[in-house]
Structure formats: structure tokens, C-alpha cells
Amino acid sequence: MGRVYNFSAGPAMMPVEVLKTCAEEMLDYKGSGQSVMEMSHRSKVYDEIIKTAEKDFRELAGVPDNYKVLFLQGGASTQFAMIPMNLMKNKVADYIVTGQWAKKACQEASKYGKANKIASSEDKTFSYIPDVSDLPISEDADYVYICQNNTIYGTKYKELPNTKGKLLVSDVSSMFLSEPMDVSKYGIDYGGVQKNVGPAGVTIVVIREDLIRDDLDESVPTMLRYKTHSDSDSLYNTPPCYNIYVCGLVFKWLKDMGGLEVMKQKNEEKAKILYDYLDSSKMFRGTVVPEYRSLMNVPFVTDSDDLNKKFIAESSEAGFVNLKGHRTVGGMRASIYNAMPKEGVEKLVEFMADFEKKNA
């Protein structure tokens, strides 16, 4: 079997060009006589890899000078605790719950202070984004938290919430580097890289420098302090060296593709192909209120569980893999991140139309 079209929500499809470079450099990175996997993270050659990766990321994402870029471990889920541990001065934070991950983040924050759920779309299985233009922001809130693109439910904020002057913190895991973002609107934006940016094992945190505190409660572990990682340029302990190297290759690939404006255009084109088909199909339908649809994650269903199962089995057989929806939602989900070529979406739609004809 050749390469399949991988619609996994993460770990997800990687750019083939990047994988080829990884293969070419696997045994000998640029004449160093060793693989990046074997290098000391304190070596000159690795120092250049991580510094170049950060520089390219800053350029791509338009990170202002007063923000630090940290390459951390522990996945986005560790940030659910790290954020309140580091930011909760008043022990109060406001959470907008639009899916599983925001819900988990809110629950985690409640261990460290008062986590107010100021809006939620749980009443309709997270199929929309609530109106965030005039929310009851708590006067003493340390920050307002969102998950900007919801991987499981396929929704995306089209407007950022009016935080009424409070700090905005955003989990951007499943839309990272898929379109331009104004970093200055956030106190922190962060994400696990295993969807759009690289192999699982790295979390990138972009944090405004004035939020990196050294007056934290003594009970906050050393490894869960932003200051620890900021002071040591993400090299306090051994980082996930190889994975950061691969992320660096993806940043170069994105720059070669023309940057984030171009990626946004490509991602809009791909999503339109799939959504247009879903809107015209008599068998398949999208599950999200159209105005809140994600460009990255597209959940859809038929009206029959048996048909869903049959579709998942047959599509997988035909080389369209990982289309099964998240266990909490069922049905199907196509994640069409940066590395998914337009041709992959076109072929999926062809397959869906054929399946519909045969099973009408």
C-alpha cells in the first residue's frame, strides 16, 4: 500500500517534503556524523537547531518582541494546570466552554482558584460558539480562557471574545499556523504541535513577558513555572530535541509555501470543497452551525449508525484513514490540516459521492 490520506485529528499527517528531509538527515545531520536524536541538547549544533526553529516560528507567526516562545513538554493538557498556577493572582478566572478541552481546562483550573464558566455551548452538544460580545466578565478575573478551534466538535471562534480589558488566554492547538493571528491580542496562546506543526511531544507556548512571574507560591513545581523555561531558553532540562527539529523543518516548509496568508487561502479552499458537498448531499450532513465551522476539523454523520460504520470501514479500505469521529460524538470527522493536500479532500468527496450513490 502506498501512502494513505490520513484524516486523523492528531498525531496527524505531516508534509511529505519534511518527512523526506527527516529520512535524508536521519543518520547524519549536516555532516555532524550523528542523528539529531543522538545529539546533546547542550551542543553547538543543536543550539543552532532550536534557535533557528524559534526564529522561523517568530517570523511566521508574527510574534512581537515582548513575547517569549517556549518549547515545552506535557502536551496542551499540562497547560490546563500551568496557566492557573502561573496567572491566578486573584485566584479567579473566567472560562468559555465550547468543547471537551475547554471543559477539562476549566475543571483543572478550579483546583487552583475559582473558575467561572461564563458561557457554554454544551446545551447543543457544542455545535456552535456562544455570543461572546458582552459576557459577564468577573471584575477580579485574572484572565479569560478559550479554546479557539474545537477539534472534536469542529467549531471555531470567528470573533475573539470581548474580555473587557482582561487578559485573553487561548488554546490554539488544532489551528496553530493554519492562518495569520494577531498575537498581541493574547496574553498567552499555546498548542500541542501534533496536529498542524510536528510530531507529538512538543507544546509551544507564546507568552507575554510581563506574565512570567517569579513571585509564585512555593508549592508550584519548578517544571511548571514559565520563568524556569523562559530563563533557560526552553533548555532547563532535556527538551524533546528531535521533535523540535521536525517542527523547525515544518516552519521552513510553511515559509517556502508562502507563509500563513497563503495557508489560510489553501485551507479555505479545501474546507469549501468538503462543506459544499455536505450541504448538497442527501446522505451526509455536517453537525455544526454553518457560521461557526472550523477550517481544520469537519465532523459529519449519516442518519444511521450502521451506515456510519460501513462508511468508515469502506473508506479506510480505500485509503482514507482515521475518519472515525471522536468517541464522545460518533459519526465521522475529517481533519484537514496544513499538510493535507487539496487532492486528498477532492478524492474523499469523490469517494463519498460514490458511496452515497451505491447506498442510496
Side-chain angles (χ1 to χ4, degrees), residues 59-60 177 180 250-266:
E59 279 173 25
L60 262 178
L177 302 186
V250 174
F251 303 151
K252 293 250 182 264
W253 176 77
L254 285 167
K255 286 171 84 172
D256 290 346
M257 295 291 278
L260 301 192
E261 280 291 355
V262 173
M263 289 319 295
K264 182 182 189 211
Q265 219 175 320
K266 287 178 182 293

Side-chain angles (χ1 to χ4, degrees), residues 149-350:
N149 185 86
N150 296 284
T151 322
I152 294 175
Y153 300 95
T155 57
K156 177 182 181 251
Y157 283 75
K158 302 297 162 151
E159 299 286 331
L160 290 176
N162 171 9
T163 63
K164 302 180 181 174
K166 300 293 182 190
L167 204 64
L168 179 63
V169 174
S170 180
D171 174 352
V172 295
S173 293
S174 53
M175 57 178 281
F176 231 168
L177 302 186
S178 65
E179 59 181 70
M181 265 174 61
D182 182 352
V183 174
S184 67
K185 291 185 171 168
Y186 306 82
I188 294 179
D189 69 89
Y190 76 92
V193 302
Q194 68 276 13
K195 299 165 187 295
N196 251 328
V197 186
V202 186
T203 306
I204 298 175
V205 174
V206 183
I207 178 170
R208 214 172 63 206
E209 282 174 356
D210 61 301
L211 301 174
I212 300 170
R213 296 166 50 201
D214 54 7
D215 63 341
L216 297 178
D217 191 279
E218 277 178 19
S219 67
V220 178
T222 305
M223 281 298 286
L224 296 182
R225 294 167 178 255
Y226 290 122
K227 189 164 173 43
T228 300
H229 303 287
S230 171
D231 286 354
S232 58
D233 294 328
S234 304
L235 291 161
Y236 175 76
N237 67 331
T238 310
C241 298
Y242 190 79
N243 301 23
I244 292 169
Y245 150 76
V246 181
C247 290
L249 295 177
V250 174
F251 303 151
K252 293 250 182 264
W253 176 77
L254 285 167
K255 286 171 84 172
D256 290 346
M257 295 291 278
L260 301 192
E261 280 291 355
V262 173
M263 289 319 295
K264 182 182 189 211
Q265 219 175 320
K266 287 178 182 293
N267 288 325
E268 284 173 345
E269 274 173 31
K270 286 187 302 194
K272 186 177 186 322
I273 293 166
L274 186 46
Y275 284 126
D276 282 355
Y277 172 70
L278 289 171
D279 290 343
S280 67
S281 168
K282 293 190 166 54
M283 177 180 283
F284 297 100
R285 61 182 167 81
T287 57
V288 168
V289 175
E291 66 192 277
Y292 302 114
R293 284 170 166 173
S294 165
L295 294 180
M296 297 284 103
N297 312 98
V298 184
F300 58 96
V301 293
T302 70
D303 287 329
S304 144
D305 275 347
D306 289 341
L307 213 46
N308 291 346
K309 280 187 189 127
K310 187 178 184 196
F311 175 79
I312 291 162
E314 290 185 11
S315 59
S316 187
E317 195 72 17
F320 304 99
V321 303
N322 294 314
L323 279 165
K324 191 177 181 187
H326 190 272
R327 61 187 179 279
T328 57
V329 186
M332 284 73 69
R333 170 182 53 181
S335 292
I336 49 176
Y337 300 123
N338 285 344
M340 173 60 69
K342 183 177 171 185
E343 171 200 25
V345 182
E346 288 169 341
K347 290 198 164 162
L348 173 65
V349 165
E350 269 171 41

